[in-house]
Amino acid sequence: MTTIQFPKDLKWGAATAAYQIEGAANKGGRRPSIWDTFSHTPGNVKNGDNGDEACDSYHRYEEDVQILKELGVDVYRFSISWPRVMKDDEGTLNPEGIAYYRTLIQSLITEGIEPIITLYHWDLPQTLQDIGGWENRETVNAFQTYAEAMFREFGDSVKKWITINEPWCASFLSNYIGVHAPGKQDLQAGIDVAHHLLLAHGRAVESFRGMVPDGEIGYAPNADWLEPYSNSQEDIDACKRDMQWKIEWFMDPVFKGEYPALLQDIFAKHNAYVKVEEGDLETISQPIDFMGINYYSGSIARHKKDNGLFDVEAIWDGYDKTDIGWPVYPEGFYNLLTHIHQLYGDVPIYITENGACYNHEVENGMVNDQERIDYLKQHLTALHRAIKSGVPIKGYILWSLMDNFEWAEGYSKRFGIVHVNYRTFERTKKESYYWYQKVTHNNWFEL
Ligand SMILES: CCOCCOc1ccc(-c2cn(C[C@@H]3NC[C@@H](O)[C@H]3O)nn2)cc1
């Protein structure tokens, strides 16, 4: 047996997000978000699911904190629901919303669990979407107002903050591909939203420096990994183009103060341009304390003329798949992390999401999700390889603590290490929970 031993200071965690677990969508003064609108629009979400009740974590947070305590994690990453804490878009707080998160935060700290807050995990107030949403530069100001209010309310007890979760999903998946809210299919809109999300990130960092001087702040881009099918230049270039869309497009502006020219040229061929105003890139590229990385899958890929924006085709045949259909590709995790380290140097990295969808149900009071344990073993081995290769990994935060609303897939896709019965909201710890519990306690596991 091979033992994989992690550095003693590596932080172990689990993650969730507000719209995916809280429910209580119309309770406690919460206003509608774009995901309330999108999920209540027929045809957008599988089985017509929505986040109205979700996992009812708004009412069951005490139980969830106890589950986290028993799990033995160092950190819990959750998001604040912007429309739950802000009564309007001019900075008026909703006291009930503030009280909910203050209680949650205090409960975590009492149990010795460090809270990591994500400010934007996709639930934009609908009132802002009504004036253009992230396409409208004014939304950046509203985000900064919201972020400052959160720093003021919680900065004394929360010292790790993430500004934007998966800006590629919140921009291109949501406004160009169109499968996430608000469901537009317009490349220029995707580029405008991406730029304003990065600008909002930068403005929040600026405010954070003066308001939480002893805190750490970062953001959490997502990326998959594409390995060229052959060593032909056209296959190599095709993979590079597609990966730049998630990696360089969202990391070069932050770490280099510029957008990648290659993609700007490609977008220009589609008459789409990034509209940078004076000072934007200085705001976006000010120093941050860590980078989050969300990784799920990868594959090989090859050049395919006139296929999509980048003339590339991913080949998923031949790989084991999770129950959401994504290839299990742990080598991509190692390749991505070492690639990012080569591009951006020793920026501290937290794995802010990694996990797998397997839809096991409860049988005789237990959930045998051995496939998820195997996935975690493979990906934590890849993580260990990256650490041994010098990548400055500071923590691993598993997606997700519990089964939850998986966006356009609704409740049909289960990513949790805790099973949720969506009728009774009963939580059942899966076998993967007990496996991960040993990892968080021992800081090693056996292959
Ligand atoms: C027709 C083309 O359709 C393409 C679908 O393309 C994607 C890509 C990526 C995703 C995706 C989902 N997740 C998991 C979430 N990360 C944040 C957290 O909230 C998790 O629920 N990560 N990436 C979904 C769909």
Side-chain angles (χ1 to χ4, degrees):
M1 290 292 254
T2 303
T3 300
I4 306 290
Q5 172 78 51
F6 288 92
K8 64 182 185 327
D9 58 352
L10 187 80
K11 301 277 188 190
W12 295 102
T16 63
Y19 189 75
Q20 298 181 270
I21 70 162
E22 286 181 3
N26 305 307
K27 302 262 184 355
R30 180 181 178 278
R31 299 183 291 146
S33 75
I34 58 173
W35 267 96
D36 297 88
T37 305
F38 189 76
S39 64
H40 282 267
T41 304
N44 285 339
V45 177
K46 198 164 279 186
N47 305 322
D49 290 340
N50 58 60
D52 288 359
E53 293 187 314
C55 308
D56 195 36
S57 195
Y58 181 79
H59 297 111
R60 298 163 193 265
Y61 68 88
E62 290 164 308
E63 179 185 0
D64 293 337
V65 170
Q66 286 310 306
I67 290 171
L68 282 159
K69 178 187 177 184
E70 191 182 324
L71 182 58
V73 290
D74 305 297
V75 301
Y76 175 47
R77 178 189 174 219
F78 63 95
S79 76
I80 288 182
S81 169
W82 183 349
R84 187 179 292 285
V85 293
M86 307 304 292
K87 252 184 191 167
D88 59 33
D89 302 322
E90 289 74 43
T92 311
L93 295 176
N94 169 27
E96 285 186 87
I98 295 297
Y100 169 69
Y101 291 107
R102 188 177 306 291
T103 306
L104 172 60
I105 289 163
Q106 289 313 317
S107 304
L108 290 164
I109 291 171
T110 300
E111 299 299 357
I113 300 166
E114 181 180 11
I116 298 182
I117 285 178
T118 305
L119 283 165
Y120 188 68
H121 204 122
W122 307 353
D123 42 1
L124 181 73
Q126 182 60 45
T127 47
L128 287 168
Q129 188 62 39
D130 292 343
I131 59 166
W134 285 108
E135 287 185 74
N136 181 349
R137 200 178 164 97
E138 277 309 305
T139 298
V140 176
N141 300 331
F143 178 79
Q144 186 171 16
T145 299
Y146 154 60
E148 289 178 352
M150 294 306 101
F151 298 152
R152 199 171 297 117
E153 289 299 318
F154 305 123
D156 59 338
S157 45
V158 179
K159 300 302 179 186
K160 284 190 182 67
W161 294 73
I162 291 164
T163 54
I164 309 288
N165 184 69
E166 296 188 350
W168 180 86
C169 287
S171 56
F172 291 109
L173 184 61
S174 304
N175 294 276
Y176 170 58
I177 297 173
V179 297
H180 281 191
K184 289 193 75 167
Q185 292 186 309
D186 178 320
L187 180 59
Q188 187 61 56
I191 292 169
D192 293 345
V193 169
H195 184 62
H196 292 153
L197 285 169
L198 287 171
L199 191 55
H201 158 80
R203 294 275 197 80
V205 174
E206 269 173 355
S207 301
F208 185 79
R209 291 304 178 214
M211 299 179 76
V212 192
D214 59 342
E216 295 173 49
I217 193 163
Y219 71 139
N222 63 293
D224 45 10
W225 182 263
L226 298 178
E227 199 68 36
Y229 185 86
S230 77
N231 62 2
S232 69
Q233 200 58 50
E234 66 175 11
D235 284 352
I236 291 169
D237 292 346
C239 289
K240 183 178 173 183
R241 289 191 294 270
D242 191 288
M243 285 201 294
Q244 283 213 5
W245 197 20
K246 284 125 185 184
I247 300 172
E248 282 89 335
W249 193 260
F250 291 98
M251 296 181 194
D252 278 10
V254 173
F255 297 110
K256 297 183 176 177
E258 62 186 21
Y259 280 100
L262 176 66
L263 290 192
Q264 290 192 69
D265 293 345
I266 293 171
F267 291 152
K269 292 191 176 88
H270 298 268
N271 294 315
Y273 305 87
V274 59
K275 304 163 193 164
V276 178
E277 295 188 15
E278 172 106 20
D280 284 358
L281 286 164
E282 288 72 18
T283 298
I284 293 170
S285 63
Q286 63 195 285
I288 56 176
D289 304 296
F290 64 86
M291 179 192 334
I293 292 292
N294 295 359
Y295 176 84
Y296 289 92
S297 181
S299 68
I300 52 177
R302 64 185 169 202
H303 176 263
K304 184 175 182 182
K305 186 160 172 40
D306 300 332
N307 192 46
L309 274 176
F310 305 116
D311 297 341
V312 65
E313 168 190 46
I315 299 164
W316 287 9
D317 296 340
Y319 289 101
D320 290 340
K321 308 282 192 315
T322 65
D323 286 350
I324 199 169
W326 300 346
V328 177
Y329 198 70
E331 52 274 33
F333 197 18
Y334 173 78
N335 294 337
L336 174 67
L337 292 171
T338 50
H339 178 66
I340 287 170
H341 188 216
Q342 283 158 10
L343 288 177
Y344 305 106
D346 286 337
V347 179
I349 293 175
Y350 282 86
I351 305 305
T352 35
E353 285 178 33
N354 175 247
C357 169
Y358 290 104
N359 295 328
H360 304 87
E361 292 295 348
V362 178
E363 287 179 26
N364 305 317
M366 66 173 287
V367 181
N368 180 4
D369 59 338
Q370 184 59 45
E371 294 94 328
R372 180 174 284 105
I373 294 170
D374 294 342
Y375 176 100
L376 293 173
K377 280 185 176 180
Q378 291 171 305
H379 287 76
L380 286 175
T381 301
L383 183 71
H384 186 258
R385 291 178 57 210
I387 292 169
K388 286 294 184 189
S389 303
V391 182
I393 305 284
K394 299 302 175 191
Y396 175 87
I397 302 173
L398 185 151
W399 185 270
S400 176
L401 174 67
M402 68 181 86
D403 295 335
N404 59 58
F405 177 79
E406 178 50 39
W407 309 112
E409 298 290 342
Y411 299 104
S412 70
K413 301 294 185 291
R414 294 178 178 270
F415 276 86
I417 56 173
V418 174
H419 178 278
V420 175
N421 178 319
Y422 293 112
R423 188 172 46 79
T424 66
F425 302 119
E426 183 181 9
R427 278 86 162 126
T428 305
K429 300 177 183 89
K430 302 180 185 177
E431 288 308 292
S432 58
Y433 174 97
Y434 296 109
W435 181 84
Y436 190 55
Q437 184 182 51
K438 284 187 286 189
V439 176
T440 63
H441 283 90
N442 298 335
N443 212 32
W444 55 264
F445 68 91
E446 286 189 338
L447 270 177

